[in-house]
Amino acid sequence: MAELSWWMFASAVFIYIVTIGLLGVGAGIFRGRNRLSFRVGTTLVVLGGVLAPIVAIVAIGFSGVAIGDETEGPDDGSAKLTVEVVGKQWWWELRYLDAAGDVVAVAANELHLPVGERARLELLSDNVIHSFWAPNLQGKTDAIPGRRNLLYAEPEVEGVWRGQCAEFCGKQHTLMGFMVIAEPREDFDRWLAHQASDARATEGPGLDVFLKLGCGDCHTIRGTSAAGQMGPDLTHLASRRTLAAATLQNSRGNLGGWITDTHEVKPGVLMPSFTPEPQDLHDLLDYLEALK
């Protein structure tokens, strides 16, 4: 991406210099400082107005195609990991697939990838057009309803980076973020196995509050009767860095504020606000914090 940007910048500087140069010649002629023949004037117009833009366009086009091919790469089967990235309103669901294409683990708003390995990201949407953009990994690629777009990513170093929906998709477009976590293969395998497991806490007063409020109608907690599909999977909620699609840091206070005043955090979000009794709220937060 940086290399392509430098090609575009160089082409823009080239056109700028040509344009300013011709402007200077034209201003000199207008003030009577220079006298050019019709043939020379025509030559300058052709060189500056036709050939120079063609040179710049060819340079940008050639570099864009060459760098784009290098960035995307062919589907040569070298990707060892396949992840379905599904744009929701307004959050991201990550479905990790095995070699047979079956879902082995589901996460929300956190894309974990092994360092030094190529991953195949299949971009989907079940509502409107979104655009998946992780600047430290790749360029922007749209997630379009009824279409499966492909994106390849290969993080070279360990790190935690911010990603964002780059397509205006509705009221909460600006707060539809996600995190990218690049980690060694051993750490990634450990994380994936943990994500594939059921919840650590499958009973208690907090779960009773969760079910009584109707949260299980929209959210899944594997190992319990909560099996909703509309909202993010909360089986390992406490292990995530952020809440509400990278809008808030995952802390007890932010979690309580999100539950009780959802629309203050993200106006227009589909999740309603809840007003449980104080003890019920504490029990609920205790339970959700146990979902590691």
Side-chain angles (χ1 to χ4, degrees), residues 1 13 40 72 84 102 106 113 127 162 187 211 234 241 261:
M1 294 296 102
V13 170
V40 174
E72 293 293 339
E84 284 186 344
D102 297 324
V106 179
L113 297 173
N127 45 91
R162 166 74 184 230
D187 294 342
L211 297 174
L234 302 182
R241 291 168 167 78
D261 206 354

Side-chain angles (χ1 to χ4, degrees), residues 49-203:
V50 180
L51 294 183
I54 290 177
V55 170
I57 291 172
V58 169
I60 293 176
F62 177 80
S63 61
V65 171
I67 296 172
D69 287 343
E70 178 184 342
T71 302
E72 293 293 339
D75 189 4
D76 56 4
S78 62
K80 298 180 180 179
L81 174 67
T82 299
V83 185
E84 284 186 344
V85 181
V86 186
K88 302 282 189 174
Q89 288 182 301
W90 288 269
W91 55 284
W92 299 93
E93 184 172 69
L94 295 313
R95 304 170 184 165
Y96 289 79
L97 310 182
D98 61 14
D102 297 324
V103 178
V104 296
V106 179
N109 305 312
E110 282 193 5
L111 175 63
H112 285 247
L113 297 173
V115 173
E117 297 183 20
R118 194 163 187 245
R120 170 188 169 107
L121 308 181
E122 300 183 356
L123 306 182
L124 308 167
S125 172
D126 64 2
N127 45 91
V128 299
I129 296 176
H130 301 281
S131 185
F132 183 84
W133 186 31
N136 292 72
L137 286 181
Q138 230 344 331
K140 304 171 186 176
T141 302
D142 285 347
I144 302 173
R147 181 180 178 89
R148 187 179 293 263
N149 284 341
L150 299 181
L151 183 66
Y152 294 90
E154 185 176 337
E156 297 179 350
V157 297
E158 297 180 43
V160 178
W161 308 299
R162 166 74 184 230
Q164 180 66 36
C165 176
E167 179 78 22
F168 182 70
C169 57
K171 196 169 185 178
Q172 279 310 309
H173 157 67
T174 56
L175 296 180
M176 186 177 171
F178 60 95
M179 305 302 296
V180 178
I181 296 93
E183 54 198 350
R185 165 54 77 167
E186 297 78 12
D187 294 342
F188 172 79
D189 287 340
R190 192 179 306 112
W191 174 86
L192 187 62
H194 181 63
Q195 290 296 309
S197 64
D198 288 346
R200 290 185 175 180
T202 57
E203 58 183 16

Side-chain angles (χ1 to χ4, degrees), residues 171-269:
K171 196 169 185 178
Q172 279 310 309
H173 157 67
T174 56
L175 296 180
M176 186 177 171
F178 60 95
M179 305 302 296
V180 178
I181 296 93
E183 54 198 350
R185 165 54 77 167
E186 297 78 12
D187 294 342
F188 172 79
D189 287 340
R190 192 179 306 112
W191 174 86
L192 187 62
H194 181 63
Q195 290 296 309
S197 64
D198 288 346
R200 290 185 175 180
T202 57
E203 58 183 16
L207 176 59
D208 296 337
V209 175
F210 184 88
L211 297 174
K212 181 177 68 175
L213 293 175
C215 304
D217 295 336
C218 293
H219 296 282
T220 290
I221 299 178
R222 294 191 302 277
T224 75
S225 61
Q229 299 297 313
M230 182 175 294
D233 187 310
L234 302 182
T235 305
H236 301 290
L237 170 67
S239 67
R240 296 172 190 159
R241 291 168 167 78
T242 65
L243 302 169
T247 302
L248 301 171
Q249 291 297 312
N250 192 354
S251 67
R252 185 181 181 91
N254 285 338
L255 183 57
W258 170 247
I259 293 170
T260 58
D261 206 354
T262 316
H263 289 262
E264 178 66 24
V265 179
K266 293 180 70 168
V269 72

